Amino acid sequence: MPHGFRSSFRDWAAEETDHPREVIEAGLARVIQNKVEAAYARSDLFERRRRLMDDWAPYESAP
């Protein structure tokens, strides 16, 4: 089930929103695999992730 949710969320976010990839990936709680990139990722993007989840809420709860 988690993979189905992740796939649905990722597809929706990519196709229906303008949120940046890094915000979408953070919304999926993905760990940055590239060690150099991870070392420079100082922000948790909280406010941007909150806006993403606000956009997702009506879609997720639709019948």
Side-chain angles (χ1 to χ4, degrees):
M1 180 69 150
H3 291 294
F5 165 78
R6 287 176 174 273
S7 178
S8 295
F9 177 81
R10 186 68 180 91
D11 290 347
W12 166 83
E15 294 174 6
E16 303 293 329
T17 77
D18 293 326
H19 294 282
R21 179 186 173 280
E22 63 270 13
V23 174
I24 296 167
E25 293 299 314
L28 288 167
R30 297 276 173 103
V31 175
I32 300 170
Q33 298 297 319
N34 181 300
K35 291 182 181 190
V36 173
E37 184 180 350
Y40 286 97
R42 306 267 189 229
S43 173
D44 64 2
L45 303 171
F46 183 79
E47 283 302 315
R48 294 177 81 181
R49 288 186 294 125
R50 184 188 56 75
R51 290 192 298 269
L52 172 63
M53 293 305 153
D54 285 347
D55 290 348
W56 167 252
Y59 177 81
E60 187 275 330
S61 62

